[in-house]
Amino acid sequence: MATKEPWFASFKPYTGNLDQTPVQIDEYLPAGKSIVLGLQHAFAMFGATVLAPLLMGFDPNLTIFITGIGTILFFLMTGGRMPSYLGSSFAFIGAVAAATGYAGVGTNPNIAVALGGTIACGLVYAAIGLIVMKTGTGWIEKLMPPIVTGAIVMIIGLNLAPVTIKSVSANSFDTWMAILTIVCISVIAVFTRGMMRRLLLLLGLVCAYVLYFILANVMGLGKAIDFAVINNAAWFGLPHFVAPTFNANAMLLIAPVAIILVAENLGHFKAVSAMTGRNLSPYMGRAFFADGVCTTLSASVGGTGMTTYAENIGVMAVTKIYSTTVFVIAGIFAILLGLSPKFGAVISTIPVALLGGASIVVFGLITVAGAKIWIDNKIDFTKNSTLIIAAVSLIMGAGNFSVHIGSFDLGGIGTATLTAIILNLFLNRGEKPSGAVQTESDESIKSFTHSA
């Protein structure tokens, strides 16, 4: 009797030319290149993964540590078929603030209440994942055809744009340094080849960091980088864990965020599917379930809710490296960051202007990935219904138009996402969605799923 091979046995080494051939999901690069690429993904997620807990009054070091563990668990639970980094989710900010009364300064005194609500959200999200695993993604596909998912991906990039621009607009020096960072990244992206081109974000940030040091610390043209925080930080230290408290009102406020996470992550997975040319539908239920479980585990020890990160999808879009093993390495780097206050201090010295410049590139790439979904699926923009769905949802998302239901704040992304879904159901009733994603045959999907 033949013995079934473990899922990881299907992974194979990459044998193509990095300048010409993408690295696929089930391929892996040599250890040295994988480590450097994993570090680049750690850099890509760092700014947002630290910012989200700060905005909610959570411990950033603990959050970094937990997202590393969550990313590795996500890899294992999805059979290595979904290239994603699980970072701290911004979708929770409004609900957490409403549930805890947090004013946005210092540590959240009611963090335990927020953790209980986040656990409830994670359980709801995981339950949705189980339903999708049992019933398939058909009902989600009906709710969110390519016109909707493309809009959602674009909304995520556009919604983050104002915050990013504001972060580099404090003074003219920061503005010019952000532009210089964009130039550094662009030069590496266009005028280099091979591994250097694939590391455009990491190398671009390093070049911009050196230039910033010369201009600010040596020439005194801007705010100097303070290296004292590195000297004062310990080499090793465990994060501070917090136990949750379960409050019914907080749970009712935060649990519905699961709906936003489904819409957000479906858009992410659609973008990855379009980039890789692989049908990832058989793994979406597993991915939803894994994200929900990791969110629950994170909140049970004091971390934030989690989501697949658009920043890292942007990195994949420009590097054409989709190998899931790289995200395991990124997760290990994150764990090291969480366990080493000194290492985290080094990363924290990166000026906001440089992170803002890199974010402009990454969020722009996310927006373009949404447009690519429309192009790949041949969305018909001669139809008024299609134009209205895209136009209204994009402007709502870009303008951060937010609807409040009682004390629950849907947020700009959530409001725009639900608007796109509702408009599609209302305006395209009875119509077959145009531009269905090209997929493998049902038998191929079934075989692929079972082998994992």
Side-chain angles (χ1 to χ4, degrees):
M1 183 177 176
T3 304
K4 182 181 177 182
E5 288 187 335
W7 58 266
F8 52 80
S10 62
F11 281 76
K12 54 186 180 293
Y14 175 74
T15 57
N17 185 327
L18 280 175
D19 283 328
Q20 300 173 358
T21 312
V23 180
Q24 278 297 345
I25 290 171
D26 54 357
E27 295 177 325
Y28 58 88
L29 290 162
K33 292 181 178 179
S34 295
I35 289 172
V36 179
L37 287 163
L39 179 60
Q40 176 169 259
H41 274 292
F43 267 90
M45 66 80 189
F46 182 82
T49 297
V50 168
L51 180 59
L54 287 175
L55 293 175
M56 291 183 278
F58 285 58
D59 179 7
N61 229 47
L62 173 61
T63 299
I64 286 282
F65 175 73
I66 293 298
T67 62
I69 294 175
T71 298
I72 295 172
L73 286 175
F74 183 87
F75 170 84
L76 295 173
M77 295 176 73
T78 59
R81 304 301 182 186
M82 282 287 192
S84 295
Y85 188 91
L86 287 194
S88 53
S89 174
F90 282 76
F92 288 87
I93 294 174
V96 166
T100 62
Y102 180 60
V105 180
T107 302
N108 192 331
N110 297 316
I111 187 174
V113 173
L115 296 176
T118 304
I119 288 175
C121 177
L123 293 174
V124 171
Y125 190 20
I128 293 172
L130 289 174
I131 294 171
V132 172
M133 288 169 66
K134 185 71 174 177
T135 64
T137 59
W139 59 281
I140 295 182
E141 298 285 347
K142 185 176 180 181
L143 284 175
M144 303 175 189
I147 178 60
V148 174
T149 53
I152 292 171
V153 174
M154 294 182 74
I155 286 163
I156 292 166
L158 292 172
N159 183 264
L160 295 168
V163 177
T164 303
I165 299 301
K166 185 178 179 180
S167 71
V168 299
S169 302
N171 54 69
S172 60
F173 180 78
D174 280 0
T175 300
W176 282 108
M177 286 309 306
I179 294 172
L180 191 58
T181 303
I182 295 170
V183 171
C184 290
I185 294 171
S186 301
V187 167
I188 294 171
V190 176
F191 298 109
T192 63
R193 294 290 181 270
M195 200 63 187
M196 283 190 69
R197 174 177 285 187
R198 300 305 176 92
L199 297 173
L200 75 167
L201 287 172
L202 179 59
L203 295 180
L205 274 174
V206 170
C207 291
Y209 190 95
V210 172
L211 292 172
Y212 188 103
F213 175 81
I214 294 171
L215 293 171
N217 290 58
V218 178
M219 300 176 64
L221 297 178
K223 183 181 179 181
I225 299 172
D226 182 10
F227 295 104
V229 65
I230 300 174
N231 296 327
N232 296 332
W235 281 104
F236 177 82
L238 288 173
H240 176 64
F241 299 104
V242 180
T245 298
F246 297 96
N247 176 280
N249 290 333
M251 292 167 71
L252 287 173
L253 277 172
I254 299 175
V257 174
I259 298 171
I260 300 174
L261 293 178
V262 169
E264 179 182 50
N265 286 312
L266 180 66
H268 290 175
F269 300 146
K270 284 288 186 180
V272 174
S273 184
M275 287 189 293
T276 60
R278 297 284 185 92
N279 175 40
L280 300 180
S281 294
Y283 300 97
M284 285 189 187
R286 210 186 293 188
F288 293 153
F289 176 74
D291 193 0
V293 169
C294 290
T295 290
T296 300
L297 291 175
S298 172
S300 67
V301 295
T304 64
M306 294 189 188
T307 186
T308 57
Y309 249 34
E311 287 85 344
N312 298 87
I313 292 173
V315 172
M316 287 191 288
V318 75
T319 62
K320 304 296 188 295
I321 296 176
Y322 312 115
S323 173
T324 53
T325 56
V326 171
F327 289 94
V328 174
I329 295 170
I332 293 172
F333 273 120
I335 293 172
L336 293 175
L337 276 171
L339 291 175
S340 176
K342 188 173 287 291
F343 191 26
V346 172
I347 303 299
S348 71
T349 63
I350 299 174
V352 172
L354 306 192
L355 291 174
S359 296
I360 290 172
V361 176
V362 172
F363 296 157
L365 291 169
I366 295 166
T367 305
V368 172
K372 188 175 185 296
I373 291 176
W374 287 348
I375 294 169
D376 290 345
N377 290 280
K378 299 179 175 61
I379 299 301
D380 184 5
F381 282 104
T382 63
K383 295 168 57 178
N384 284 345
S385 60
T386 302
L387 286 171
I388 292 296
I389 293 167
V392 173
S393 60
L394 287 181
I395 293 302
M396 280 186 169
N400 200 31
F401 183 88
S402 181
V403 169
H404 293 73
I405 301 174
S407 56
F408 177 62
D409 182 3
L410 283 176
I413 293 176
T415 300
T417 294
L418 290 179
T419 298
I421 293 170
I422 293 169
L423 283 176
N424 174 68
L425 292 174
F426 176 67
L427 299 176
N428 288 328
R429 286 178 297 174
E431 292 187 18
K432 183 178 180 181
S434 62
V437 178
Q438 296 295 318
T439 61
E440 302 166 297
S441 68
D442 291 342
E443 288 304 316
S444 298
I445 294 172
K446 201 174 294 181
S447 172
F448 192 48
T449 308
H450 290 165
S451 69

